[in-house]
């Protein structure tokens, strides 16, 4: 793994942009200069994040989200696991 997070990641396992190894490692997001901890999905190249809207749920029980546009920065919260070299 590299120290650069992917361009687009989602927390939803049904999404094609869900990557369990990336989500497990943890990603920090800074959106418009403010560090956010409640980001459901982000895209750095397109400049948007999906944030939950209060405690509202959709008919499937998932949090309702809203897309916000702006400057997105991402980084890993934990270091890359080292591979065993044998």
């Amino acid at each position: 793994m590299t120290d650069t997070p992917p361009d687009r990641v989602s927390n939803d396992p049904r999404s094609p942009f869900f990557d369990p190894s990336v989500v497990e490692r943890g990603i920090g997001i800074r959106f418009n200069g403010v560090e956010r901890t409640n980001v459901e999905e982000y895209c750095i190249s397109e400049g948007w994040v999906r944030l939950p809207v209060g405690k509202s749920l959709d008919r499937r029980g998932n949090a309702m989200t809203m897309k916000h546009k702006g400057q997105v920065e991402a980084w890993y919260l934990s270091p890359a696991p080292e591979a065993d070299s044998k």
Side-chain angles (χ1 to χ4, degrees):
M1 280 194 144
T2 63
D3 283 342
T4 305
D7 178 57
R8 186 169 177 180
V9 174
S10 175
N11 286 340
D12 185 7
R14 296 174 296 163
S15 171
F17 300 103
F18 178 74
D19 186 358
S21 62
V22 172
V23 174
E24 182 178 300
R25 188 171 168 191
I27 295 181
I29 301 290
R30 185 174 294 120
F31 180 66
N32 288 337
V34 178
E35 196 167 322
R36 305 298 302 236
T37 58
N38 60 344
V39 175
E40 294 291 324
E41 183 176 2
Y42 74 85
C43 183
I44 297 171
S45 62
E46 295 177 13
W48 57 264
V49 296
R50 280 200 180 274
L51 301 172
V53 181
K55 295 185 178 187
S56 302
L57 301 176
D58 65 6
R59 62 183 173 203
R60 295 180 192 101
N62 301 320
M64 293 186 75
T65 61
M66 190 170 184
K67 186 187 280 188
H68 297 273
K69 293 188 177 213
Q71 183 181 6
V72 180
E73 300 172 47
W75 65 91
Y76 282 115
L77 296 176
S78 60
E82 296 183 23
D84 294 331
S85 57
K86 291 185 179 181

